[in-house]
Amino acid sequence: MAPITLERPVSRAAGQRPKSRAPRLTAMSALFFGMHAAALVAIFLVPFAWKWVGLAMATYSVRMFAITAGFHRYFSHRTYRLGRVSQFLMAFLAEMSAQKGVLWWAANHREHHRHSDEIDDHHSPLHDGFWWSHVGWILSDEYDEVDESVVADLAKFPEIRFLSRHHWIPPLVLAVSLFLSGGWPAFVWGFLVSTVVLYHCTFTINSLAHLFGSRRYPTADGSRNNWLLAVITFGEGWHNNHHHYPYACRQGVKWWEYDLTFYVLKLLSFVGVVKALFCPFWLARPPARPLARLPARLPACPPIVVMSRIAIIGSGIAGLASAYLLSRRHDVTLFEREPRLGGHTHTQEVEGPEGPLAVDTGFIVHNEVNYPLLSRLLRELNIPTAASDMSFGVSSGAGGLTWCSRGINGIFAQRKNLLRPAFYSLLREIGRFNDTAHRLLEEPEADAWTLGTWLGRERFSADFREHYLVPMAASVWSTAPREMMKFPAATLVRFFRNHGFLGARTQHKWRTIAGGCSRYIEPMVRAFRERVHLGKPVKRVERTAAEVTVRVEGMPAMVFEEVVFACHGDEVVPMLAEPSQAEREVFKAFTTSRNEAVLHTDVSILPKKRRAWASWNHLRTGGSDGRPVVTYHMNRLQPLAAKTDWLVSLNAGGLVKEDRVARRMVYHHPLFTMEAIKAQARWQDVSGRNRTHYCGAYWGYGFHEDGLRSAVRVAQRMGIEW
Ligand SMILES: Cc1cc2nc3c(=O)[nH]c(=O)nc-3n(C[C@H](O)[C@H](O)[C@H](O)COP(=O)(O)OP(=O)(O)OC[C@H]3O[C@@H](n4cnc5c(N)ncnc54)[C@H](O)[C@@H]3O)c2cc1C
């Protein structure tokens, strides 16, 4: 059992430790050493009897169980369910150990898992040595503050907050009770001695269990399995197992890996105190041979929830939603290539003349009718929404045709159009399209027609294509106009009809997320925050019949039972070590268009006349690669309470003045083609096979609801109903 050394760079941040690790004398350390001294002296002052040793062992056992079952497996990792009263009692018992408050314990432990043995770990023996990891970090006041956002799921209970704030009450109750019932010997052995021993046995898990023992799983840290520590801590010594399966209630993996805490929890589940135990799939496997000596009538089977270890690649809405849903029953780890979460959900914080603003630059709008799942999710997460303005305008550059959908004033924003018969023809054609487009869906061959074919058959004019339909569709799908001609016609009409785009009176009430759409991200990852890896691109995924190995840049290989690809379709195959024939065929059909987005305040990109400004402004010329420029007027669309006009332009090339640019971004948008539609129908051929699952907006129209729906489908396939 040799100590291990780190061979790899493990810095998450810039590599500098934020604060000094030198031990300091604090009130906590004075109390801690005072208790040691008092225990040492007092055992010679009080009369000795074996019953006092027995009492010390009893108070040690109850409190060790409460630490491992309560502080650790319940409050830090939520590996089983308790009712509210039992939860309170468990917190009370655990706080009798005099190891600070329940919120402090859980928050620090979650942070430990987030950075385990990285430079930001609060107590890594590999970085800071034995002393600091064992006790130095607790005695310092460096980590006294509790970041409640890390434990928001616990902090919502007022009684837990109370206990945490007044964490001196439970140990005082224990000490006084012992004194009143057995005098000084009971106090010395049952409290002082027992508490000091309990301290050091608990702390060995932070120190020794990262130094000595064996490693069954190649976790990204130095965690080890150590049978001796497992004995004294009632199962916590199977620490490498635990870092591999942090959400598993049971930490012993083999039958002989003694885990007293789990056995007691299992017993408690038989009497209904524990409501559900979360266990990895290996625990739920039926025994190889039936146990002949089992009594015929067994007590009611406690609910064991089967868990898998799942890797999720990508943190757009599809990855976030699958992680959010799967984490209810499984142990999820999320990998994101970028240093931030959200993918196309990207709110930028900017400083305007009126103060700080949160401006959306990717996903912006939704409505209750077409986005039922997203609306439900936002309600569930308690995220407020705001009404949006979805007006649309087209401009052809200097002197060209310009109009927008904001009433008569906007339609005739160019007054000369009042006298142009061609403009009235265009308006008539828009009316004809709105009234008759639905007939396409009754045509038997409709699904085979591209937009170009259908517009030709219906004899829609070039004006109608260039000044209405193509700008609108190209803006919706962030796609080049020439690509739009290859777009499936029936899909476009179905989409326009469902989204209320066929006429002014059919419009739905569009909404945005108040304060920026990134607001929904944090509550979605709260339950597994310590298992989120940012700035970690997955390079390779190797699959066998038994497991999935995920190789990530800058991390050791990690092993999972399942993997969910929540990136774009064209990113999948390069990551797969051995893609199946079906995977090769399906994913080659999915492509994306590259969109440069710029957040800026240069209104010269909008039509000269303000009455022609809409929320979505399509400029037909001058963009990068000859593509149209779409500019969202965020004050109107989001809406923003600012006098300065904030704009997000896609593919604006050099049209935006550099000194007006606040941020630049690149987004790849799924291209919706005939091939993609055919490939979507083959989801079952690739997803749910070979321990691999696929989601992403590219499995639908390419919008936010599609990303969410695809994630719900994956979650349902893995047993989560939502
Ligand atoms: C500018 C813009 C505006 C939009 N506006 C709207 C709108 O208003 N309403 C609407 O409904 N839709 C809108 N959309 C479309 C919609 O938001 C997106 O299509 C949808 O959000 C995509 O979600 P996703 O999860 O499939 O993909 P993404 O959000 O793109 O997420 C994929 C994630 O996977 C990560 N990833 C890829 N490869 C790896 C790897 N190897 N390792 C780790 N991570 C990896 C990426 O970094 C990314 O974060 C807009 C899109 C754009 C570009």
Side-chain angles (χ1 to χ4, degrees), residues 689-702:
R689 291 167 186 267
N690 219 358
R691 300 187 169 274
T692 314
H693 307 263
Y694 294 105
C695 59
Y698 67 93
W699 288 105
Y701 288 120

Side-chain angles (χ1 to χ4, degrees), residues 313-319 335-338 340 342-345 361-366 371 478 510 536-539 566-568 571 575 595 597 616 632 648 650 667-670 695-698 702-705 707:
I313 304 171
S315 73
I317 181 66
F335 298 100
E336 169 53 56
R337 177 177 59 192
E338 302 296 324
R340 62 169 183 90
H344 286 182
T345 300
T361 63
F363 159 66
I364 309 166
V365 287
H366 69 283
Y371 295 71
S478 311
W510 288 86
K536 301 286 184 200
V538 172
K539 291 291 174 196
C567 49
H568 293 180
E571 293 168 322
M575 270 187 263
N595 292 280
W616 294 49
Y632 306 117
V648 173
L650 299 185
Y667 297 116
H668 288 87
H669 201 266
C695 59
Y698 67 93
F703 295 97
H704 229 57
E705 182 75 359

Side-chain angles (χ1 to χ4, degrees), residues 65-66 69-71 74-75 80-94 102 159-160 163 265 268 271-275:
F65 171 75
F71 273 164
Y74 182 76
F75 291 107
Y80 60 95
R81 296 266 185 269
L82 285 177
R84 195 143 170 196
V85 175
S86 325
Q87 172 181 278
F88 178 80
L89 289 176
M90 187 62 96
F92 194 91
L93 275 182
V102 57
E159 68 278 16
I160 294 293
L163 260 192
L265 287 173
L268 289 174
V271 292
V273 174
V274 166
K275 309 276 184 222

